[in-house]
Amino acid sequence: MSRLSSTCISRVAHIKGHLASSPVLGGATAANPLILYDIKSKLSGPGMGWSPNVWKTRQVSTEGFVLNYKQIPYKTVWVSYPDIEPTLKSLGFDPSTVTRAGREWFTLPVISDPSPEPGGEPTLVVDSQVIAEYLDSKYPQKPLLPEGTKALQAMFLKWTQTNLLVHLLQLVVPQVPAILDDPGAEYFTRTREQQFGKKLTDICVGEERATSLAALEKDLATLDGYISRNGGGDFLMGITPTYGDILLCSFFMWTKRVPTTRDPGSESVFDIIKGWHGGRWQRLQTWSEQFAEQK
């Protein structure tokens, strides 16, 4: 069984080596769909998904988005937070990261792509960026990483992590336990309070929230200025959507799906964002909604 992840010694070499040695296209069909492993919540029905990392994949058809955008047949397996580590270990994956203290982290999304060969083993892939590159290679319709753009899109991913994400974590993470199933909420609260070194209820309150929102607005204003240089369109490449746009939409979907439960009288993060910069982020999110179906 083939496995691709960002934890290999050289992710790019591993991807290239695998794809070069296996030029066959992906095998997902309506009768034998690709499997997407997503994080369970108590949001109802097909609207259970909420994680920005998994949304990237879902929409690209960051993995639901990708899958829906590319119209790849798939089904979802919902995994509660405490079950992520044993599930990935059972699939043969190593930790996604290991902290300096030796704490192993296993993360979703993961996809299982069926072999196009009868009786063949599926290919398992972890990490949103690795999945996007894999899907673009195996399902080349409607590419999201056009030839010659991978380096630039990797740089944009890094920029979002060091700018947008640091603010969004402060603003959204404290609200997440309210939408999780009970085991997931307990696990998430315990592990995130260890990460932050404080109670979730003490994160980003009062002036801290206003400061984080102001910093987020400043970084999005910078991005808005860059996009405006295209001379038209709301995508990073003007009128052509790419993986970077899916990444942004997954963040916006996250801020929209996680309600502001701690202070019911305040606006959600997305309710604030959508009015910034001439409504660009609202237009981008509205575009992405057509690929938000969960299967």
Side-chain angles (χ1 to χ4, degrees):
M1 185 179 297
S2 299
R3 294 176 183 85
L4 299 180
S5 78
S6 59
T7 57
C8 55
I9 294 175
S10 174
R11 191 185 82 179
V12 173
H14 190 92
I15 293 170
K16 286 183 177 178
H18 176 86
L19 298 180
S21 63
S22 181
V24 179
L25 298 181
T29 64
N32 188 24
L34 177 150
I35 299 173
L36 169 66
Y37 291 82
D38 197 351
I39 301 173
K40 186 178 182 180
S41 77
K42 60 184 180 185
L43 297 173
S44 61
M48 191 181 290
W50 62 276
S51 169
N53 289 328
V54 184
W55 269 110
K56 281 177 278 182
T57 301
R58 187 178 300 283
Q59 267 185 311
V60 197
S61 117
T62 77
E63 284 62 7
F65 276 141
V66 176
L67 294 168
N68 289 335
Y69 181 79
K70 285 179 166 289
Q71 299 180 316
I72 300 171
Y74 75 98
K75 65 179 181 180
T76 304
V77 172
W78 300 101
V79 184
S80 183
Y81 258 109
D83 298 327
I84 292 175
E85 180 174 336
T87 297
L88 266 63
K89 283 183 174 178
S90 73
L91 294 173
F93 281 108
D94 293 325
S96 299
T97 57
V98 179
T99 67
R100 292 180 180 179
R103 173 73 164 87
E104 295 182 342
W105 286 97
F106 290 81
T107 59
L108 296 180
V110 164
I111 63 168
S112 176
D113 185 32
S115 170
E117 302 297 330
E121 293 285 345
T123 297
L124 299 171
V125 193
V126 66
D127 183 275
S128 299
Q129 179 95 15
V130 183
I131 291 173
E133 294 185 24
Y134 173 85
L135 291 176
D136 248 19
S137 174
K138 296 297 184 179
Y139 301 89
Q141 69 272 20
K142 302 175 73 173
L144 284 161
L145 293 152
E147 192 68 31
T149 69
K150 289 182 180 179
L152 291 174
Q153 296 205 56
M155 291 171 63
F156 180 70
L157 171 63
K158 183 66 174 179
W159 181 86
T160 63
Q161 292 173 333
T162 56
N163 292 275
L164 303 183
L165 189 56
V166 295
H167 312 311
L168 290 171
L169 286 172
Q170 296 284 328
L171 290 161
V172 181
V173 164
Q175 315 290 338
V176 168
I179 68 168
L180 297 177
D181 63 307
D182 290 342
E186 187 282 327
Y187 177 92
F188 187 92
T189 300
R190 173 169 46 83
T191 56
R192 271 48 180 186
E193 287 183 349
Q194 291 173 353
Q195 279 184 296
F196 283 94
K198 62 174 69 175
K199 295 289 187 181
L200 291 186
T201 52
D202 295 333
I203 296 174
C204 208
V205 295
E207 287 300 316
E208 288 184 11
R209 188 172 193 265
T211 299
S212 292
L213 284 169
L216 178 62
E217 191 279 332
K218 182 178 179 181
D219 285 335
L220 282 174
T222 298
L223 181 58
D224 176 65
Y226 290 146
I227 296 175
S228 295
R229 297 180 68 173
N230 287 326
D234 290 317
F235 301 123
L236 295 174
M237 292 181 62
I239 61 173
T240 303
T242 63
Y243 182 72
D245 301 296
I246 297 296
L247 178 66
L248 281 177
C249 290
S250 71
F251 287 156
F252 297 148
M253 182 66 75
W254 186 36
T255 65
K256 188 174 182 179
R257 298 287 291 168
V258 179
T260 307
T261 56
R262 188 169 56 185
D263 183 5
S266 63
E267 293 180 288
S268 71
V269 175
F270 187 71
D271 283 338
I272 297 171
I273 291 174
K274 69 183 184 181
W276 292 345
H277 315 128
R280 183 186 298 281
W281 316 123
Q282 172 70 79
R283 293 193 299 273
L284 191 59
Q285 183 59 26
T286 298
W287 166 81
S288 75
E289 293 284 353
Q290 64 186 304
F291 309 115
E293 178 186 0
Q294 300 174 61
K295 302 175 183 179

